[in-house]
């Protein structure tokens, strides 16, 4: 009986969106897991948040992430409060513009380079379309349909970067 198995994985001790998207370098246990999966011909689908940018990450601080989050009508940054108890943290809903496209693309490209076969981009499929009043990213009141267009562009760019490394790299949401 030849049964295929796909592992959905994001590292030892990883918590949902904490640290997203700054997941590299991988820990030794994670590198060993990927090597064993490759040795046995098992694809690994890595989890990564497609829209949440953890406010505690280096990339968020370096890029002034709050400037690149979606904003509501009242110019308030749209954030998700994640986790429970003492593990609570905040993630900004990243606008799919140049900054987030580059940061997310860097992470997904590293996934392809380190042996992941695919990326599960969480929240792309259920987070909805945001009206965006961030003055950096809007051309029309509420952003019109620009959020959708920019998300499509982001996805094309991220796919291209990963597939330059591995032409068979896959995505799911």
């Amino acid at each position: 009986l030849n049964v295929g198995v796909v592992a959905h994985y994001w590292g030892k001790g990883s918590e949902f969106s904490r640290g997203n998207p700054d997941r590299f370098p991988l820990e030794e246990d994670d590198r060993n897991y990927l090597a064993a999966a490759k040795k046995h011909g098992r694809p690994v689908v890595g989890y990564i948040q497609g829209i949440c940018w953890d406010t505690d990450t280096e990339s968020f601080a370096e890029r002034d992430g709050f400037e690149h989050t979606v904003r509501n009508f009242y110019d308030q940054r749209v954030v998700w409060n994640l986790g429970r108890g003492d593990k609570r943290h905040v993630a900004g809903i990243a606008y799919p513009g140049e900054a987030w496209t580059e940061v997310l693309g860097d992470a997904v490209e590293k996934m392809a380079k380190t042996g992941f076969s695919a990326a599960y981009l969480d929240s792309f499929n259920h987070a909805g379309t945001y009206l965006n009043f961030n003055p950096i990213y809007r051309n029309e009141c509420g952003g019109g349909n620009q959020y959708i267009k920019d998300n499509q562009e982001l996805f094309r760019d991220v796919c291209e970067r990963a597939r330059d490394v591995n032409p068979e790299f896959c995505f799911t949401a």
Side-chain angles (χ1 to χ4, degrees):
L1 180 65
N2 187 5
V3 178
V5 175
V6 174
H8 181 261
Y9 185 75
W10 192 266
K12 180 182 169 193
S14 184
E15 300 173 34
F16 181 52
S17 64
R18 183 173 294 281
N20 192 75
D22 299 1
R23 308 274 191 177
F24 292 89
L26 296 177
E27 294 181 13
E28 182 179 359
D29 287 345
D30 301 326
R31 291 190 306 271
N32 291 341
Y33 180 89
L34 288 168
K38 183 176 182 176
K39 177 181 174 184
H40 297 289
R42 303 295 184 233
V44 178
V45 179
Y47 172 92
I48 191 163
Q49 259 292 330
I51 66 171
C52 289
W53 196 351
D54 187 342
T55 60
D56 292 332
T57 59
E58 285 183 34
S59 66
F60 194 89
E62 289 170 358
R63 302 286 183 137
D64 196 8
F66 276 126
E67 289 304 308
H68 301 285
T69 56
V70 172
R71 295 192 193 172
N72 67 18
F73 178 77
Y74 301 101
D75 199 34
Q76 297 166 322
R77 294 170 175 101
V78 179
V79 298
W80 286 355
N81 291 302
L82 303 167
R84 296 181 186 179
D86 63 344
K87 296 188 180 213
R88 292 192 64 72
H89 68 285
V90 174
I93 302 305
Y95 186 84
E98 184 178 322
W100 182 240
T101 298
E102 187 173 329
V103 169
L104 183 61
D106 288 349
V108 174
E109 183 177 340
K110 288 174 187 173
M111 290 170 73
K113 285 179 178 177
T114 56
F116 287 91
S117 302
Y120 167 36
L121 295 171
D122 197 8
S123 300
F124 258 40
N125 63 337
H126 65 77
T129 299
Y130 288 96
L131 291 178
N132 176 52
F133 293 87
N134 184 330
I136 296 173
Y137 294 111
R138 68 179 177 138
N139 299 322
E140 305 168 38
C141 183
N145 65 355
Q146 196 61 46
Y147 182 89
I148 295 167
K149 290 178 181 178
D150 287 344
N151 232 350
Q152 291 168 338
E153 177 91 14
L154 175 146
F155 192 69
R156 278 191 297 273
D157 289 353
V158 170
C159 284
E160 183 177 323
R161 287 182 66 180
R163 290 183 176 151
D164 282 348
V165 174
N166 174 1
E168 295 181 3
F169 196 86
C170 296
F171 293 87
T172 186

